[in-house]
Amino acid sequence: MISSCHINIKSITKHKDELQARFSKYDIISVNETNLKSERQFTLLGYNTYRNDRVGKPGGRVLLAVKQHIKCREVFNKTVGKNEAIAVEIETKTLKSRLISSVYIPPTAKLNLNLFHELYDINNNCIIMGDLNATLYNKGSQQANARGKQLQELLAEGFIDCIEDDNSTFEKNDYEVKLDWILASQPLLSFISNVETHPTIGAINGHKPLTFDIPTGAESKSLSPRI
């Protein structure tokens, strides 16, 4: 069983200590809006980190942190039509690896369907989590916005689907909405369990961290004979 966490954090360096204190038990951590600059080093204790940083512009950026004992490799690091993404493949005890991706879509951008096709074409056993700034009626929101309608179009294609969960993931004052999503191909989607939202990190962020479990059967790295 692998436990995963997705967070929109606005500034990962500002909230690093709280992130580690609350979520270091999770095997994979997806972070949107890290605000990391490409020249800045960043580490999380016990994790290998993979980043897609913006160049020359503030905001955005995505990161995946994978526990060091899990075998994985980066397979995708690209921004497609302002949709920022990073993806790794997790080796498993079976013949088929799993692709895990973190995606951030700014509120001024469109959801780029080609990005999701690219990720699926790399590995059709995939989980995509992120802040898509997409709202869907009766799935944590009162109405569908423009990106929500694009998300509906994506889901209608049938190669990927979302968790059937109507909990909001963003809360500010009296406004609640679902902006953060867990998408997956079958049969992985049916194996995802224990989906939960958590209190926000930082007082003004508004995004609730999402956590879930998936029985991927990930391979562990062999330890050095000296250990």
Side-chain angles (χ1 to χ4, degrees):
M1 185 75 69
I2 280 185
S3 55
S4 301
C5 173
H6 167 72
I7 305 167
N8 182 309
I9 206 168
K10 300 293 184 184
S11 173
I12 197 170
T13 52
K14 183 177 179 180
H15 301 294
K16 178 180 176 179
D17 291 343
E18 185 180 355
L19 187 155
Q20 292 241 224
R22 288 176 55 186
F23 298 104
S24 60
K25 69 179 181 180
Y26 292 93
D27 298 304
I28 299 171
I29 300 176
S30 156
V31 186
N32 286 178
E33 292 201 81
T34 66
N35 272 285
L36 286 172
K37 295 181 179 179
S38 56
E39 67 274 12
R40 183 165 187 169
Q41 293 291 320
F42 180 83
T43 59
L44 286 174
L45 184 64
Y47 291 86
N48 293 317
T49 56
Y50 305 89
R51 297 161 48 177
N52 178 351
D53 298 332
R54 280 186 194 174
V55 178
K57 293 182 180 179
R61 304 170 172 89
V62 292
L63 175 148
L64 278 173
V66 183
K67 280 283 179 72
Q68 289 174 344
H69 71 273
I70 296 175
K71 286 185 178 180
C72 73
R73 64 188 181 96
E74 182 182 299
V75 294
F76 190 94
N77 188 330
K78 194 186 296 186
T79 298
V80 181
K82 296 184 180 180
N83 293 198
E84 300 169 342
I86 187 81
V88 299
E89 270 188 336
I90 304 289
E91 294 187 33
T92 71
K93 295 175 183 177
T94 64
L95 294 177
K96 191 68 174 175
S97 61
R98 275 62 164 151
L99 181 142
I100 309 291
S101 181
S102 179
V103 174
Y104 173 64
I105 301 177
T108 56
K110 294 182 179 180
L111 188 148
N112 192 299
L113 301 184
N114 290 333
L115 168 65
F116 296 87
H117 283 283
E118 276 196 69
L119 292 169
Y120 182 82
D121 288 344
I122 292 171
N123 191 324
N124 58 15
N125 276 329
C126 59
I127 296 174
I128 302 169
M129 45 189 160
D131 175 9
L132 307 185
N133 275 298
T135 65
L136 285 180
Y137 177 67
N138 278 349
K139 290 191 177 180
S141 305
Q142 295 300 312
Q143 60 184 4
N145 63 9
R147 282 168 301 282
K149 292 173 183 177
Q150 291 164 335
L151 179 58
Q152 283 179 317
E153 182 182 340
L154 176 70
L155 300 179
E157 293 187 39
F159 70 93
I160 202 166
D161 208 344
C162 66
I163 294 294
E164 288 293 333
D165 177 67
D166 60 1
N167 289 323
S168 63
T169 65
F170 180 87
E171 182 178 319
K172 207 164 188 177
N173 300 324
D174 295 327
Y175 179 67
E176 290 188 39
V177 72
K178 184 171 185 173
L179 300 176
D180 304 85
W181 294 84
I182 302 168
L183 310 177
S185 59
Q186 291 290 4
L188 285 186
L189 185 73
S190 61
F191 294 137
I192 291 175
S193 62
N194 302 323
V195 179
E196 294 183 57
T197 57
H198 299 261
T200 61
I201 288 182
I204 62 172
N205 181 16
H207 285 271
K208 302 175 185 178
L210 273 170
T211 60
F212 63 94
D213 295 329
I214 181 78
T216 58
E219 281 280 11
S220 296
K221 290 182 180 177
S222 57
L223 296 176
S224 165
R226 293 175 295 170
I227 299 177

